[in-house]
Amino acid sequence: QKEVEQNSGPLSVPEGAIASLNCTYSDRGSQSFFWYRQYSGKSPELIMSIYSNGDKEDGRFTAQLNKASQYVSLLIRDSQPSDSATYLCAVTYRSGYSTLTFGKGTMLLVSP
Amino acid sequence: ETGVTQTPRHLVMGMTNKKSLKCEQHLGHNAMYWYKQSAKKPLELMFVYSLEERVENNSVPSRFSPECPNSSHLFLHLHTLQPEDSALYLCASSPQRGLNTEAFFGQGTRLTVV
């Protein structure tokens, strides 16, 4: 069974710090990796996608992928209270209809 | 304002009622999805439509019935639901069904079954 694992948190960081969110996945056939942000009571919002090993940076966000270790992470630099949300890791597998499999999400709390 | 719009935003229904959830996407995408989000559980894929054809039914009970009349609209028809069906129902769309395609979500419908 294909699984995506995340620590549920909450992960608490002070404002201005780097928040590090981690995700592991079970199937080496995984091809595409996404990070979504979900505020309480709202729908998931896509913030990063990564398809190959290494780092991908977009503003304060950096996604890191290591396929050998089956590990993907999201770094948020200069964390702001407005970053407080649940971050969902999602993975697309080669087999089937290439739909997203989600982790349960990690709650991030950024304190002023 | 999202390119994927869901109505209603909130719905309370009895177990004998029949209701429908509506989703409309304005992004020109070819694939649409229904997801269910329950407390403390990952997002669960329910149905996938690609070019108006249902391509995946993820072992969803028959009391949930999807309909995709065209590539911009998706419905989820509900009947004789159970209290455990109470959840956030999310519609999503993507340019196409494929490995590197990104999915965009609507605001969701918060469903409560009483």
Side-chain angles (χ1 to χ4, degrees):
Chain A
Q1 182 168 346
K2 302 177 178 64
E3 294 183 345
V4 178
E5 298 289 340
Q6 295 182 258
N7 188 320
S8 61
L11 172 66
S12 296
V13 299
E15 183 174 359
I18 296 175
S20 178
L21 303 160
N22 304 315
C23 171
T24 59
Y25 55 95
S26 62
D27 195 320
R28 288 190 177 275
S30 304
Q31 294 295 307
S32 308
F33 308 86
F34 304 90
W35 283 100
Y36 286 81
R37 177 177 62 198
Q38 187 173 24
Y39 293 112
S40 180
K42 303 294 185 182
S43 62
E45 173 192 9
L46 179 67
I47 54 173
M48 288 289 286
S49 58
I50 186 166
Y51 309 115
S52 56
N53 279 328
D55 294 0
K56 179 181 178 182
E57 185 175 321
D58 183 0
R60 296 186 297 113
F61 299 99
T62 298
Q64 300 175 316
L65 175 61
N66 183 328
K67 289 189 176 182
S69 300
Q70 296 174 234
Y71 176 92
V72 59
S73 65
L74 179 70
L75 301 179
I76 306 175
R77 291 181 299 280
D78 188 24
S79 295
Q80 301 297 309
S82 58
D83 294 326
S84 297
T86 296
Y87 289 80
L88 306 174
C89 175
V91 175
T92 301
Y93 294 94
R94 182 187 292 278
S95 61
Y97 292 101
S98 304
T99 50
L100 293 168
T101 299
F102 284 84
K104 293 183 181 181
T106 298
M107 180 182 292
L108 172 66
L109 299 175
V110 182
S111 54
Chain B
E1 177 63 38
T2 176
V4 182
T5 303
Q6 290 185 244
T7 55
R9 296 292 304 276
H10 301 272
L11 178 62
V12 179
M13 61 185 289
M15 289 189 285
T16 59
N17 291 158
K18 290 185 179 181
K19 297 286 185 183
S20 296
L21 309 184
K22 179 183 176 182
C23 177
E24 183 174 1
Q25 60 97 0
H26 312 277
L27 301 170
H29 290 171
N30 289 324
M32 297 186 76
Y33 312 81
W34 280 115
Y35 282 87
K36 175 184 178 182
Q37 188 173 36
S38 305
K40 301 189 185 303
K41 294 178 69 175
L43 275 162
E44 302 170 63
L45 178 66
M46 300 176 73
F47 300 104
V48 181
Y49 276 83
S50 177
L51 295 172
E52 303 156 38
E53 177 186 354
R54 188 192 310 181
V55 294
E56 185 163 341
N57 176 345
N58 221 19
S59 302
V60 179
S62 60
R63 57 186 184 269
F64 295 91
S65 175
E67 178 189 2
C68 186
N70 54 63
S71 59
S72 299
H73 294 86
L74 185 65
F75 296 89
L76 187 62
H77 304 299
L78 316 171
H79 64 97
T80 59
L81 294 192
Q82 304 298 310
E84 59 265 29
D85 296 322
S86 299
L88 180 67
Y89 288 84
L90 291 159
C91 173
S93 72
S94 62
Q96 66 282 325
R97 178 175 53 81
L99 289 172
N100 294 340
T101 190
E102 300 170 342
F104 298 88
F105 286 86
Q107 309 97 317
T109 295
R110 174 68 62 185
L111 173 66
T112 303
V113 181
V114 298

